[in-house]
Amino acid sequence: MPAKITAAQYAKENKEIKQKIEDKTGKTTQQLYEEREKRAREAIELKEPDRIPLVCHPEFQIYTGIKNASAYYEPIVYKRAMRDITLDLEPDMCNMGLPSSGEAMTLLGVTNRLWPGGPLPPDYDYQFVESEFMKEDEYDMFFHDPTDFNIRRFFPRMYKSLAPLMDLPPLGNMYQGFEMMTAMFASPEFIKMGQTIAKAGAETKKFREFIGDSYEEMAQLGFPSFAHVGGGGVGGAPFDTVSSFMRGMKGSMVDMYRRPEKLLKLCDMIIERRIAEAKPADPKKRGNPKRVGMPLWRGDKAFMSQKAFEKFYWPGLKRALQADIDLGFVPVPFFEAEFGDRLEKLLELPRGKVLASIEYVDAVKAKDILKDHTCLYVRIPLSSKLWSIQEVEDCTKDLIDKVGKGGGLTLDVRLPDKATHEGLRKLMDNIREYSRY
């Protein structure tokens, strides 16, 4: 694979690939898209499709040899690598990732993320860094005027380049006198900030033009998208937002005991504003139903008790899930740890309207709890990265035997790192055949 490729070359490749797919299969890529989308839809609706829908997530750096940094600095190289993985392994739904401009993040001085090619070496994985961006005595400031708080406190703490914003006077009650502030904007600090924002904006614009609509490009080759954050909806559990982006894990968990009413009010305020600003699913866009990703992390047993879960976590999450359903989306909540009996809460939502992404360890219990109510998206253990191909195949087939009967199942086949491309293609072929109803 060449290290560099232009947008024109990429578009030409896609046109040639489309023709090859149609020549090989005897079907149009639109027909192939509809077949895969129908398979996913029927699974979500708790019907038995022709077989269990499959998704796979190999490490693209390992599979293609392209460094992880390409997702931040070489968007066409990155999406080409993701495309070629999909073409090679032929999952029923594809994932093109969430690439971002590393240049823009560097200019802005992002403090809550570390990314390859920027603060990290080019072959490292992305890392999230929690900080206390809202202090314990700032709840009332946020309640009084969240926009003012974000401008004068939140953004300057998260982005180093925006530090001058902390010198602004309170904006919520300012109805005249803006001209008195203009001298501040003429200061070297504000001039530099403005120049930096403009440069970051230009980098982001350029990056987005290069990355284009990679999901639509894959749809034109016959592959529906699985679900991706940023695709609409109202987001995940508001407690996760507070815990990871505002108060930090320590702060939010101390607040459950020291200021629970303020914490609950903040969670309510976040979800209410999200719902008020959300737009319904666009019927003109591909995919039916419209799946939207919802990462979740703080609601499992390792972080909070059942009592705390029911008080602080589930109410906001339930509202988010129901709002997505009402807006015409199928929410895909990613329960990123063992949730066990807490999955019973999904029974409070409409039948066949949620795709619950769960860890392998929860699969049997979840099937027992949610059978005939909620489709499961089961992720093979992350440790499978270190397994042999045969071990992954055996594990997947065993899972199908245990929870695959009767429909309502989608599988994420996590692939081993040390395997040939031929071996991984054969693995996917074997699982496809074994998963037929």
Side-chain angles (χ1 to χ4, degrees):
M1 179 182 293
K4 300 289 184 181
I5 180 173
T6 67
Q9 288 171 325
Y10 183 81
K12 182 181 178 182
E13 284 184 353
N14 276 0
K15 186 176 181 179
E16 294 171 350
I17 289 168
K18 183 176 185 293
Q19 188 61 55
K20 288 180 181 178
I21 291 172
E22 293 181 343
D23 291 343
K24 177 182 176 181
T25 63
K27 300 177 181 179
T28 66
T29 54
Q30 180 62 29
Q31 287 175 311
L32 294 171
Y33 177 95
E34 292 298 336
E35 287 179 5
R36 293 179 174 120
E37 186 63 41
K38 179 175 182 289
R39 188 173 295 131
R41 179 171 63 252
E42 290 182 347
I44 293 170
E45 294 175 350
L46 307 172
K47 301 173 183 177
E48 276 195 1
D50 58 336
R51 62 171 175 78
I52 297 168
L54 303 179
V55 181
C56 61
H57 292 105
E59 295 285 349
F60 88 88
Q61 178 175 272
I62 294 173
Y63 196 92
T64 66
I66 300 299
K67 297 294 186 183
N68 287 333
S70 68
Y72 302 88
Y73 297 95
E74 298 176 302
I76 297 180
V77 171
Y78 168 78
K79 73 173 182 176
R80 188 176 192 248
M82 298 297 287
R83 179 201 67 187
D84 291 352
I85 290 173
T86 300
L87 294 171
D88 210 22
L89 301 177
E90 297 186 297
D92 294 298
M93 293 170 280
C94 69
N95 177 23
M96 296 299 285
L98 289 167
S100 301
S101 170
E103 296 289 356
M105 290 194 291
T106 297
L107 285 165
L108 292 172
V110 172
T111 62
N112 70 330
R113 283 156 285 171
L114 303 175
W115 62 95
L120 299 175
D123 58 343
Y124 273 46
D125 287 331
Y126 165 93
Q127 296 176 22
F128 184 79
V129 181
E130 280 190 11
S131 295
E132 193 177 15
F133 293 115
M134 187 180 89
K135 309 303 181 184
E136 62 182 31
D137 60 350
E138 292 178 335
Y139 271 96
D140 290 338
M141 182 181 181
F142 183 89
F143 295 150
H144 176 70
D145 191 337
T147 300
D148 181 76
F149 173 82
N150 283 345
I151 291 173
R152 298 195 303 117
R153 294 292 182 269
F154 184 78
F155 288 142
R157 290 167 180 163
M158 183 174 286
Y159 301 93
K160 294 178 181 178
S161 67
L162 303 184
L165 294 177
M166 294 196 77
D167 295 330
L168 290 172
L171 304 174
N173 292 318
M174 180 174 287
Y175 303 106
Q176 64 176 1
F178 181 79
E179 66 276 5
M180 302 299 294
M181 294 173 53
T182 55
M184 179 182 295
F185 300 142
S187 68
E189 293 80 10
F190 269 86
I191 290 173
K192 181 180 179 181
M193 182 185 74
Q195 292 171 339
T196 299
I197 293 173
K199 290 178 182 178
E203 290 293 340
T204 300
K205 184 175 182 290
K206 180 173 66 175
F207 189 92
R208 288 178 177 175
E209 288 173 349
F210 277 123
I211 204 69
D213 189 344
S214 56
Y215 284 96
E216 173 58 25
E217 290 166 350
M218 290 309 302
Q220 292 173 9
L221 297 179
F223 295 93
S225 65
F226 170 59
H228 53 100
V229 179
V234 300
F239 185 92
D240 284 340
T241 300
V242 176
S243 177
S244 292
F245 299 101
M246 301 178 75
R247 294 287 292 122
M249 183 173 72
K250 178 182 176 182
S252 60
M253 292 186 171
V254 168
D255 292 348
M256 287 194 293
Y257 298 94
R258 293 184 178 176
R259 48 193 71 84
E261 297 309 316
K262 289 190 175 183
L263 176 58
L264 288 170
K265 182 178 178 179
L266 180 57
C267 288
D268 288 343
M269 190 171 178
I270 288 170
I271 192 62
E272 286 168 4
R273 290 170 67 88
R274 285 179 178 171
I275 292 173
E277 295 167 2
K279 296 180 180 179
D282 185 351
K284 296 179 182 179
K285 286 193 173 184
R286 289 182 187 262
N288 183 24
K290 309 292 189 298
R291 296 175 291 273
V292 59
M294 184 183 288
L296 307 169
W297 47 92
R298 287 280 153 73
D300 71 275
K301 294 182 290 185
F303 285 116
M304 61 174 63
S305 67
Q306 182 68 24
K307 182 178 179 180
F309 174 80
E310 293 179 358
K311 182 176 181 179
F312 295 100
Y313 199 87
W314 173 245
L317 175 56
K318 181 182 178 181
R319 290 186 67 185
L321 290 164
Q322 186 63 60
D324 275 348
I325 294 169
D326 293 342
L327 289 166
F329 295 101
V330 169
V332 187
F334 283 76
F335 297 99
E336 297 187 3
E338 182 180 356
F339 266 69
D341 292 338
R342 296 181 185 186
L343 294 172
E344 290 179 357
K345 292 294 184 180
L346 293 176
L347 296 173
E348 298 177 15
L349 297 163
R351 177 182 180 274
K353 297 294 185 180
V354 175
L355 178 58
S357 177
I358 62 171
E359 292 289 354
Y360 173 85
V361 68
D362 270 334
V364 174
K365 177 173 284 189
K367 183 70 173 182
D368 182 58
I369 293 171
L370 299 172
K371 182 180 180 182
D372 299 325
H373 185 275
T374 301
C375 181
L376 301 178
Y377 172 68
V378 183
R379 306 188 296 269
I380 301 302
L382 187 59
S383 58
S384 63
K385 289 166 54 68
L386 305 177
W387 296 358
S388 68
I389 287 181
Q390 190 60 52
E391 286 174 320
V392 173
E393 182 173 334
D394 291 344
C395 175
T396 306
K397 289 180 176 179
D398 180 64
L399 181 63
I400 292 170
D401 291 341
K402 289 177 178 176
V403 301
K405 295 180 177 64
L409 178 66
T410 299
L411 288 179
D412 181 350
V413 185
R414 283 171 166 161
L415 303 176
D417 289 345
K418 294 182 179 180
T420 64
H421 289 193
E422 181 180 357
L424 293 176
R425 286 193 293 268
K426 183 177 180 181
L427 169 66
M428 292 297 292
D429 286 341
N430 290 345
I431 295 173
R432 260 189 290 270
E433 186 61 33
Y434 196 82
S435 66
R436 295 189 179 279
Y437 287 107

